[in-house]
């Protein structure tokens, strides 16, 4: 987590978190009805983002970020002073997942995501030209999500549609297709980011007692089901220009998933006739993964093997995941990279993937 | 590839394999009439009126061809896996299998029925295994089907069978009403440890998808089997099952293997950061995995380059805990003759039988010869 490129190298960081300090920050961007709804209903933004980031958990913030009060960054000034300037970043993709843990009111979710987007554009993108953003959309109302993409998706600083990985139906499901199509038509990457709606159990069989089990579900099960869904349902056959990034969801699990996926497809391809090439080829053509968390082995030779199995140079996009702190894995990743891999992962891949020019 | 070439590739001497063959995943299926004949009173009335209320996974995700079975596995009467003669002809005799472990998947659904009814169904299923298969065929060894959602009754069934050496393990699914690490299920593990029997967690059970939502296709569900198995390991380790039951052994059946390396990397990294969350874990979680879990091979991952599988098994680091399985009579059956080609040469003898003999205490052909 701590390893970033030295200043001045033109690094592109694809996952930098920011969030409003409270709903009060979003008040200017709400219609009057929703201001009243928030006020009278006692509605607030979850302090843990729906249990995703317990404030005192070591994973929630690095000591440096905690010291600076960036848990995550609340203002562009703070981000500039503590991240953008000292690290010499060429560009940073802002991730605001504050709306992920929304309640179940679909109309409120539409209002909240719209407010987050307007707050992001006005207070962040307008303030620093190094910033790019993932826009958020309502997850319970596909028409409203499409409308929101139509509304702001052509802003060149908006490069991604952020979706939570924890969902009522996986993103490949037919019901979500207009949303994905709108993203593809606007040239936006779809970013599937860890976590999701409050109260949505992480496992097939329900809630977990420990945060550790909840946290690991992001990388070890949930995101993998999303990949299987997108490929199996033929999303990329229908939308050949669609690009998907998996954020804060790990990456070292990908090779073994693809071996299983290819083998099963060879056995039951009749079920999904629209899937006319190996799932691994589809994934490698349409999906990229961010580098944090980097769950890697302890031995350097095994790290190298894991990166080769993945084809890390082609598949990874550097992310600090600021301010989150996933431990020492990212240091092991960086130590294993060749100079060419480092250039690709820290800058070239993201510039190309997000069309940053 | 001709049989001769296969034999050489698999390290076999002329005709007879040079190693013991244990098939750790054979699916018998009890004909309905055989279960009905073993029910009485209220349970019989429930059977006749309501049958089973727990849906089997194929009702939700149909198997694409031939209902998911090998085309040639249907006996003249009854479902595949119900006829001992056919199991002998197509599997035990055909491939000179020394030991076969039965995994009756009907227990997955029946074990989640109304508690007393679930117990009666599982008892009937176990009695049928004993009468129809284990008694007449000593090469076969049984799994104790249990009413897993009624753990007190499950413990009774385990205790009842504990002294019958023909049953060598306890059958669990991967899809419970809750994560199988939950304390609610601990009476099962207490009984297993007391009986000295391993738990075989076979893919399947209750079909639920609350994390990412319900998939649409069998392809996704089948890929998900490995993730369900990973979830089972996460649940059992993080809830502290192995601190409470230090002798418990758990076999991951039909969920693949190669994913376990990346899972353990993630577990150890997370544990370093989150020890306050799991104070009961006294060592890196990967150590619990390597001390308590086993894997069966079918459907083992098959990368384009077989060398990649060997690398990945090195990451898992549990080669002594991998056991061959054919998954007879399912569509994706792995032949004991051909499957060894996929396994790294140095591991074949262990995977094909020696590892299972050690776990189950079965006679090992090679060990007997040495003696």
């Amino acid at each position: 987590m701590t390893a970033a490129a030295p200043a001045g190298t033109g690094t592109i960081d694809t996952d930098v978190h920011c969030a409003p300090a409270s709903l009060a920050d979003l008040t200017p961007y709400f219609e009057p009805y929703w201001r009243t709804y928030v006020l009278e209903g006692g509605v607030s933004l979850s302090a843990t983002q729906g249990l995703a980031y317990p404030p005192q958990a070591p994973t929630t913030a690095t000591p440096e970020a905690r010291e600076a009060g960036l848990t995550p960054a609340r203002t562009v000034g703070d981000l500039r002073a503590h991240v953008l300037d000292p690290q010499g970043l060429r560009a940073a993709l802002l991730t605001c997942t504050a709306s992920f843990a929304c309640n179940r009111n679909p109309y409120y979710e539409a209002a909240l995501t719209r407010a987050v987007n307007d707050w992001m554009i006005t207070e962040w993108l307008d303030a620093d030209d190094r910033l790019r953003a993932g826009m958020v959309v309502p997850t319970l109302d596909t028409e409203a999500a499409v409308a929101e993409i139509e509304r702001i998706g052509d802003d060149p600083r908006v490069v991604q549609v952020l979706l939570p990985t924890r969902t009522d139906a996986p993103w490949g499901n037919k019901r979500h297709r207009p949303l994905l199509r709108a993203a593809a038509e606007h040239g936006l990457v779809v970013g599937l980011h860890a976590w999701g709606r409050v109260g949505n159990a992480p496992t097939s069989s329900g809630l977990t007692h420990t945060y550790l089990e909840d946290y690991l579900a992001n990388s070890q099960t949930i995101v993998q089901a999303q990949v299987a869904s997108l490929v199996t349902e033929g999303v990329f056959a229908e939308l050949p220009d669609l690009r998907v990034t998996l954020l804060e969801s790990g990456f070292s699990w990908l090779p073994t998933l693809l071996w299983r996926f290819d083998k099963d497809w060879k056995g039951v391809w009749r079920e999904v006739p629209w899937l006319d090439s190996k799932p691994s080829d589809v994934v490698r053509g349409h999906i990229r993964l961010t580098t944090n968390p980097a769950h890697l082995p302890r031995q350097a030779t095994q790290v190298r093997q894991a990166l080769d199995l993945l084809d890390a140079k082609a598949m990874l996009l550097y992310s600090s995941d600021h301010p989150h702190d996933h431990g020492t894995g990212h240091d092991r990743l960086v130590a294993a990279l060749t100079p060419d891999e480092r250039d690709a992962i820290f800058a070239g891949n993201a510039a190309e993937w997000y069309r940053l020019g | 590839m001709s049989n001769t070439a296969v034999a050489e590739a698999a390290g076999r001497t002329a005709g007879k394999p040079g190693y013991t063959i244990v098939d750790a995943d054979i699916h018998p299926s009890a004909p309905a009439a055989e279960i009905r004949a073993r029910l009485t009173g209220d349970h019989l009335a429930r059977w006749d009126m309501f049958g089973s209320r727990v849906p089997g996974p194929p009702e939700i995700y149909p198997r694409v061809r031939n209902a998911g079975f090998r085309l040639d596995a249907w006996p003249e009467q009854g479902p595949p896996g119900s006829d001992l003669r056919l199991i002998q002809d197509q599997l035990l005799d055909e491939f000179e299998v020394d030991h076969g472990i039965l995994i009756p998947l009907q227990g997955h659904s029946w074990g989640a029925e109304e508690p007393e009814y679930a117990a009666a169904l599982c008892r009937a299923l176990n009695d049928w295994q004993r009468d129809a298969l284990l008694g007449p065929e000593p090469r076969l060894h049984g799994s104790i089907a249990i009413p897993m959602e009624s753990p007190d009754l499950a413990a009774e069934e385990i205790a009842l069978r504990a002294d019958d050496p023909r049953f060598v393990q306890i059958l669990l699914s991967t899809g419970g009403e809750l994560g199988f690490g939950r304390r609610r299920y601990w009476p099962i593990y207490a009984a297993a440890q007391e009986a000295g029997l391993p738990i075989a967690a076979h893919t399947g059970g209750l079909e639920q998808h609350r994390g990412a939502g319900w998939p649409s296709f069998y392809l996704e569900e089948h890929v998900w089997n490995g993730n369900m198995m990973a979830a089972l390991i996460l649940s059992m380790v993080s809830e502290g099952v192995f601190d409470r039951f230090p002798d418990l052994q758990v076999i991951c059946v039909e969920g693949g293997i190669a994913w376990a390396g990346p899972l353990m990397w993630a577990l150890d990294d997370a544990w370093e950061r989150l020890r306050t969350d799991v104070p009961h874990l006294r060592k890196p979680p990967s150590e619990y995995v390597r001390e308590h879990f086993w894997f069966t091979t079918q459907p083992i991952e098959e990368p384009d380059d077989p060398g990649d599988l060997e690398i990945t098994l090195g990451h898992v680091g549990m080669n002594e805990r991998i056991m061959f399985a054919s998954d007879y009579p399912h569509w994706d059956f792995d032949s004991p003759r051909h499957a060894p080609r996929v396994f790294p040469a140095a591991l074949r003898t262990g995977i094909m039988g020696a590892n299972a003999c050690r776990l189950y205490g079965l006679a090992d052909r090679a060990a007997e010869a040495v003696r």
Side-chain angles (χ1 to χ4, degrees):
Chain A
M1 166 64 224
T2 52
T9 56
T11 291
I12 299 171
D13 188 339
T14 60
D15 189 17
V16 176
H17 283 262
C18 65
S22 74
L23 275 182
D25 289 358
L26 300 181
T27 303
Y29 307 101
F30 276 127
E31 304 276 338
Y33 173 84
W34 295 112
R35 283 182 209 159
T36 308
Y37 171 89
V38 165
L39 196 64
E40 296 190 352
V43 177
S44 60
L45 288 178
S46 162
T48 62
Q49 291 198 32
L51 306 181
Y53 305 110
Q56 297 307 317
T59 42
T60 295
T62 62
E64 299 76 22
R66 206 180 285 282
E67 173 82 10
L70 275 63
T71 60
R74 309 295 182 188
T75 68
V76 70
D78 278 349
L79 190 72
R80 208 181 270 137
H82 293 282
V83 178
L84 298 177
D85 292 345
Q87 295 186 14
L89 295 178
R90 172 177 155 199
L93 269 62
L94 294 174
T95 301
C96 176
T97 56
S99 62
F100 278 15
C102 192
N103 63 41
R104 304 263 350 165
N105 180 333
Y107 307 101
Y108 173 61
E109 190 184 28
L112 176 63
T113 50
R114 188 182 168 108
V116 166
N117 290 333
D118 286 343
W119 169 82
M120 180 85 87
I121 289 168
T122 307
E123 305 196 16
W124 297 78
L125 300 185
D126 286 351
D128 196 306
D129 59 13
R130 288 168 292 185
L131 297 177
R132 299 291 182 272
M135 62 177 289
V136 285
V137 292
T139 60
L140 299 176
D141 181 345
T142 304
E143 282 179 36
V146 170
E148 183 65 0
I149 293 170
E150 300 287 345
R151 187 176 77 88
I152 61 167
D154 286 334
D155 185 324
R157 300 165 302 177
V158 173
V159 297
Q160 178 159 265
V161 178
L162 276 178
L163 300 173
T165 53
R166 301 182 180 201
T167 45
D168 292 353
W171 288 110
N173 191 286
K174 189 79 177 156
R175 76 183 74 167
H176 299 307
R177 202 64 50 85
L179 193 171
L180 302 182
R181 182 178 301 111
E185 286 174 357
H186 285 79
L188 299 171
V189 171
V190 166
L192 299 188
H193 191 286
W195 304 101
R197 192 172 308 277
V198 64
N200 186 342
T203 79
S204 275
S205 45
L207 298 165
T208 68
H209 281 146
T210 66
Y211 177 71
L212 178 133
E213 195 182 344
D214 203 355
Y215 169 88
L216 287 176
N218 290 320
S219 57
Q220 303 306 307
T221 56
I222 292 170
V223 75
Q224 299 186 37
Q226 295 290 2
V227 170
S229 171
L230 290 169
V231 174
T232 300
E233 301 247 14
V235 166
F236 301 110
E238 188 177 327
L239 305 170
D241 297 331
L242 184 66
R243 290 158 282 147
V244 172
T245 305
L246 310 178
L247 298 115
E248 203 179 314
S249 298
F251 56 82
S252 55
W253 46 264
L254 185 70
T256 60
L257 175 78
L258 295 182
W259 299 342
R260 207 158 77 229
F261 204 173
D262 282 350
K263 178 172 174 170
D264 286 349
W265 172 72
K266 285 175 198 162
V268 303
W269 58 270
R270 287 170 187 79
E271 188 188 31
V272 287
W274 47 82
L275 180 54
D276 58 4
S277 55
K278 285 193 333 190
S280 60
D281 289 341
V282 176
V283 167
R284 291 185 183 283
H286 291 274
I287 294 180
R288 296 292 178 269
L289 307 92
T290 61
T291 56
N292 246 314
H295 297 135
L296 289 167
R298 303 286 157 153
Q299 294 174 23
T301 51
Q302 290 193 348
V303 172
R304 189 62 250 171
Q305 290 169 337
L307 297 180
D308 289 340
L309 294 174
L310 174 70
D311 189 8
K313 184 183 174 189
M315 298 300 289
L316 292 182
L317 310 174
Y318 165 68
S319 70
S320 67
D321 195 24
H322 186 276
H324 305 144
D325 188 350
H326 301 286
T328 57
H330 205 272
D331 295 337
R332 299 198 292 279
L333 167 69
V334 172
L337 295 177
T338 65
D340 280 356
E341 287 174 328
R342 195 181 166 89
D343 289 347
I345 293 169
F346 278 77
N349 290 352
E352 188 182 342
W353 194 246
Y354 287 102
R355 316 284 195 253
L356 297 181
Chain B
M1 188 181 275
S2 74
N3 282 348
T4 311
V6 171
E8 285 166 7
R12 291 176 62 180
T13 52
K16 204 165 171 68
Y19 42 74
T20 303
I21 298 178
V22 181
D23 183 345
D25 188 18
I26 302 170
H27 296 300
S29 184
E34 294 287 334
I35 297 302
R36 188 180 187 281
R38 290 172 170 83
L39 299 175
T40 57
D42 292 346
H43 302 316
L44 180 59
R46 182 181 283 277
W47 173 271
D48 286 339
M49 188 172 289
F50 299 106
S52 173
R53 285 182 42 75
V54 177
E59 296 178 66
I60 303 165
Y61 299 107
R63 277 61 174 139
V64 181
R65 296 179 80 205
N66 199 36
F69 291 104
R70 259 174 58 162
L71 276 168
D72 61 355
W74 294 83
E76 290 190 16
Q77 288 189 317
S82 62
D83 182 274
L84 175 59
R85 189 69 240 160
L86 208 52
I87 296 173
Q88 290 167 329
D89 282 352
Q90 294 187 327
L91 184 65
L92 303 180
D93 296 346
E94 170 69 23
F95 299 106
E96 299 185 78
V97 172
D98 295 86
H99 305 282
I101 313 296
L102 298 176
I103 296 198
L105 292 177
Q106 288 155 312
H108 277 183
S109 301
W110 292 347
E113 294 284 342
E114 183 277 326
E116 301 287 348
Y117 182 53
L121 289 171
C122 290
R123 184 155 300 176
L125 181 57
N126 293 331
D127 283 346
W128 172 79
Q129 273 190 88
R130 181 195 60 203
D131 300 342
L133 303 173
L134 306 179
E137 176 48 270
R139 285 175 290 183
L140 292 176
H141 310 270
S143 299
I144 304 172
I146 54 169
M148 74 275 283
E149 301 300 347
S150 314
D152 53 330
L153 300 179
E156 286 179 21
E157 185 66 17
I158 293 166
L160 181 76
R161 309 280 172 187
D163 293 331
D164 185 341
R166 292 171 294 187
F167 288 93
V168 296
Q169 64 187 9
I170 295 152
L171 179 59
L172 198 68
S173 73
T174 54
E177 289 177 1
L178 293 170
F180 276 121
R182 288 292 183 97
R183 281 176 190 243
R184 167 184 176 189
Y185 298 108
W186 288 14
I188 296 172
Y189 310 138
Q193 184 169 275
E194 171 73 21
L197 293 173
I199 300 274
H202 186 290
T203 289
L206 299 180
E207 195 72 55
Q208 303 178 83
H209 295 275
R210 291 192 243 170
W214 289 74
S216 306
F217 296 97
Y218 176 56
L219 173 56
E220 296 169 88
E221 193 233 19
H222 203 274
V223 170
W224 179 244
N225 287 342
N227 299 105
M228 281 293 286
M229 204 60 83
L232 177 109
I233 292 178
L234 285 175
S235 176
M236 294 186 91
V237 169
S238 61
E239 294 273 357
V241 168
F242 302 108
D243 288 294
R244 178 68 179 75
F245 304 104
D247 297 331
L248 189 68
Q249 298 293 310
V250 180
I251 309 147
C252 299
V253 187
E254 206 175 327
I257 306 168
W259 47 263
L263 174 77
M264 285 188 269
W265 304 335
L267 263 168
D268 285 355
D269 275 5
W271 174 74
E272 276 188 352
R273 307 295 298 146
L274 297 169
R275 292 184 63 168
T276 307
D277 186 44
V278 283
H280 47 280
L281 297 187
R282 296 188 178 88
K283 53 191 176 187
S286 61
E287 293 187 23
Y288 292 95
V289 176
R290 292 200 172 98
E291 289 165 12
H292 292 277
F293 285 94
W294 300 68
F295 297 95
T296 62
T297 55
Q298 196 285 327
I300 196 166
E301 291 82 357
E302 290 186 61
D304 292 339
D305 178 353
D308 288 347
L309 177 65
E310 192 163 0
I311 288 170
T312 311
L313 293 181
H315 296 168
V316 177
M318 297 173 67
N319 287 335
E320 305 303 311
R321 290 169 164 261
I322 299 174
M323 304 186 287
F324 169 73
S326 76
D327 197 28
Y328 177 90
H330 286 162
W331 67 271
D332 43 355
F333 171 80
D334 276 351
S335 148
R337 194 171 295 137
H338 295 180
R341 278 185 300 176
V342 174
F343 312 143
L347 307 182
R348 279 179 197 145
T349 301
I351 290 176
M352 289 309 294
N355 294 343
C357 288
R358 211 171 62 250
L359 172 65
Y360 295 118
L362 301 172
D364 186 333
R365 211 188 284 174
E368 300 293 317
V370 170
R371 245 174 258 151

